[in-house]
């Protein structure tokens, strides 16, 4: 029973991680690539880590306490990942726009119309 | 002084969580507790200006933390929706991108950071730039419907939640 | 169960190759940083998985430190691309 839950978590995680990496190849410019890589790899990593956390807490109950330590540390690593990933994506997008890489096939670009904000 | 003390306590709690299961005093060994007290006092002294800017203690209110936990529900739902949306666009390659501007009227740095991160992780939007004078957000939208969008269209009522949590 | 963790880790390592392809191809510098950022996220996920597979908590501790340091690295590269570093 609990094994099935872990398998489902890991499968969903691998699927979304793969999708994010594939979108990195497929999309045309840096902003759309950021969409794919940030959202999908964060979501996928949440699910693979949830698999590990479930595994740890289940074996904490059954076997020994060291598995519980594993689950707690995995949770903190997941927290660090979820907080830092979107901030990093924002930093890359801002740097790209300020260094003069504009979105391809863009319908509207309010930021370019507004001009430089970097002063 | 108060900010240094609270930062030190927060650092000590994090240290205790990370070293759980090392010994016999409850769950920790005596060496870990002594090292933890010393290191968290050092961290509190050096980091006192990071957690509470200008001696502003509004985030200590437990009601805000309860709202934050309640906020995780709609947020995770929106995040799952975002991923299915991106999956659709990766497979079909159907995009219509552009950069639009919204004015969420949030005042504090913490609120605008939280809104920016939430927007980045939810459907089809990515925060690109913040105008620090007016707190306007410039957002890369992968499927532009209007050139002057409403706030609700982009961020699913997140500003209402964040105003309760962070303002 | 242990074998499943290894299979997942191998899949994630294969996905890193896409990131490497983007770093090699990427027409602009920000594209290469996006590839690097994706690889960093996948490395953290693999470290967590391998920590469970080998039953070693130290792998996950390294993953926490790696997450925070790669974040600082990304911020510095972004700052450099903006041209703020004199």
């Amino acid at each position: 029973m609990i094994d099935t839950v872990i398998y489902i978590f890991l499968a969903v995680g691998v699927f979304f991680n793969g999708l994010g990496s594939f979108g990195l190849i497929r999309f045309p410019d840096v902003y759309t690539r950021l969409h794919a890589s940030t959202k999908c790899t964060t979501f996928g990593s949440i699910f693979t880590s949830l698999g590990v956390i479930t595994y740890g807490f289940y074996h904490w109950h059954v076997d020994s306490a060291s598995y519980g330590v594993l689950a707690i540390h995995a949770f903190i690593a997941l927290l660090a990942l979820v907080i830092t990933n979107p901030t990093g994506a924002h930093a890359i997008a801002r740097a790209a726009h300020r260094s003069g890489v504009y979105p391809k096939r863009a319908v509207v670009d309010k930021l370019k119309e507004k001009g430089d904000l970097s002063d | 002084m108060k900010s240094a003390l609270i930062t030190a306590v927060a650092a000590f709690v994090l240290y205790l969580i990370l070293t759980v299961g090392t010994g016999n005093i409850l769950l920790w060994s005596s060496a870990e507790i002594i090292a933890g007290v010393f290191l968290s006092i050092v961290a509190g002294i050096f980091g006192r200006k990071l957690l509470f800017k200008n001696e502003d203690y509004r985030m200590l209110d437990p009601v805000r933390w309860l709202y934050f936990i309640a906020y995780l529900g709609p947020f995770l739902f929106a995040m799952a929706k975002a991923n299915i949306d991106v999956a659709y666009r990766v497979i079909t390659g159907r995009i219509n991108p552009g950069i639009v501007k919204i004015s969420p009227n949030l005042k504090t740095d913490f609120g605008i950071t939280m809104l920016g991160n939430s927007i980045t992780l939810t459907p089809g939007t990515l925060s690109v730039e913040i105008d620090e004078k007016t707190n306007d957000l410039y957002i890369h939208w992968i499927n532009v419907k209007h050139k002057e969008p409403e706030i609700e269209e982009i961020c699913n009522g997140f500003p209402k939640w964040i105003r309760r949590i962070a303002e | 169960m242990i074998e499943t963790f290894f299979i997942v880790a191998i899949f994630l390592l294969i996905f890193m190759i896409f990131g490497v392809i983007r770093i090699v191809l990427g027409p602009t510098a920000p594209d290469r940083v996006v590839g690097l950022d994706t690889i960093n996220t996948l490395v953290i996920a693999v470290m967590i998985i391998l920590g469970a597979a080998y039953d070693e908590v130290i792998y996950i501790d390294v993953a926490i430190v790696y997450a925070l340091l790669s974040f600082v690295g990304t911020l510095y590269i972004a700052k450099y691309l903006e041209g703020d570093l004199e």
Side-chain angles (χ1 to χ4, degrees):
Chain A
M1 171 56 202
I2 201 84
D3 280 4
T4 322
V5 174
I6 296 173
Y7 287 143
I8 290 171
F9 277 157
L10 290 179
V12 172
V14 167
F15 174 71
F16 278 108
N17 270 329
L19 210 64
S21 320
F22 188 61
L24 200 61
I25 299 292
R26 190 173 155 80
F27 278 146
D29 72 331
V30 61
Y31 302 97
T32 42
R33 277 173 201 147
L34 268 174
H35 273 285
S37 75
T38 309
K39 287 192 192 69
C40 289
T41 54
T42 308
F43 198 64
S45 302
I46 285 176
F47 271 94
T48 53
S49 308
L50 268 182
V52 171
I53 292 168
T54 318
Y55 172 80
F57 276 128
Y58 177 66
H59 284 272
W60 184 15
H61 194 62
V62 177
D63 296 334
S64 74
S66 74
Y67 286 101
V69 177
L70 190 92
I72 291 169
H73 284 222
F75 182 72
I76 290 176
L78 176 63
L79 221 57
L81 194 68
V82 171
I83 293 170
T84 59
N85 232 344
T87 318
H90 168 73
I92 296 170
R94 199 173 81 146
H97 207 280
R98 284 189 182 176
S99 67
V101 179
Y102 299 117
K104 278 180 193 155
R105 299 198 284 174
V107 192
V108 56
D109 193 341
K110 290 274 182 206
L111 185 53
K112 202 174 168 186
E113 290 164 17
K114 165 96 180 177
D116 200 11
L117 286 175
S118 58
D119 46 283
Chain B
M1 183 60 209
K2 192 182 166 192
S3 61
L5 198 68
I6 297 167
T7 311
V9 170
F12 188 57
V13 169
L14 184 65
Y15 192 89
L16 287 185
I17 293 172
L18 276 172
T19 56
V20 77
T22 47
N24 299 325
I25 309 171
L26 294 177
L27 286 167
W28 298 275
S29 66
S30 54
E32 290 285 8
I33 290 179
I34 292 165
V37 168
F38 178 69
L39 288 174
S40 42
I41 287 171
V42 172
I45 289 168
F46 282 103
R48 67 185 182 280
K49 287 192 178 138
L50 297 178
L51 225 50
F52 301 99
K53 242 187 200 169
N54 308 326
E55 304 283 315
D56 184 357
Y57 300 105
R58 64 181 154 56
M59 286 315 292
L60 290 180
D61 187 354
V63 177
R64 292 176 189 276
W65 290 83
L66 286 180
Y67 270 125
F68 179 73
I69 292 167
Y71 169 68
L72 288 180
F75 174 68
L76 287 175
F77 179 70
M79 198 172 163
K81 223 167 55 181
N83 280 278
I84 291 161
D85 180 67
V86 172
Y88 167 75
R89 289 182 201 289
V90 168
I91 292 163
T92 60
R94 203 172 291 164
I95 54 170
N96 185 24
I99 295 180
V100 295
K101 173 183 161 184
I102 60 165
S103 312
N105 289 323
L106 294 171
K107 289 175 198 67
T108 55
D109 282 358
F110 181 68
I112 204 84
T113 309
M114 206 167 145
L115 183 67
N117 278 2
S118 303
I119 281 174
T120 299
L121 288 175
T122 50
T125 47
L126 177 78
S127 59
V128 173
E129 180 75 270
I130 295 170
D131 188 340
E132 284 178 18
K133 289 182 198 107
T134 55
N135 278 349
D136 290 344
L137 279 168
Y138 291 87
I139 288 170
H140 184 268
W141 198 4
I142 204 166
N143 184 23
V144 175
K145 290 170 196 150
H146 319 287
K147 295 190 175 177
E148 306 280 344
E150 297 295 314
I151 291 175
E152 290 302 314
E153 262 180 297
I154 289 192
C155 31
N156 304 310
F158 288 159
K160 259 184 286 173
W161 281 97
I162 287 169
R163 206 160 288 136
R164 276 183 217 144
I165 295 167
E167 301 269 292
Chain C
M1 183 53 71
I2 302 291
E3 296 80 18
T4 321
F5 284 135
F6 281 116
I7 293 167
V8 170
I10 289 168
F11 266 110
L12 294 183
L13 288 171
I14 292 169
F15 296 150
M16 276 179 215
I17 296 173
F18 289 117
V20 175
I21 292 172
R22 181 44 64 198
I23 290 178
V24 173
L25 288 181
T28 63
D31 284 304
R32 297 196 165 93
V33 186
V34 176
L36 184 71
D37 199 45
T38 311
I39 291 178
N40 281 333
T41 311
L42 290 176
V43 164
I44 295 158
V46 168
M47 276 183 183
I48 294 173
I49 294 283
L50 286 184
Y54 287 115
D55 191 17
E56 293 275 2
V57 178
I58 192 78
Y59 283 30
I60 298 176
D61 293 341
V62 175
I64 298 169
V65 177
Y66 188 89
L68 299 175
L69 285 183
S70 70
F71 170 60
V72 175
T74 307
L75 287 190
Y76 247 88
I77 296 171
K79 204 90 176 139
Y80 171 73
L81 289 177
E82 282 176 21
D84 280 0
L85 297 181
E86 292 295 312

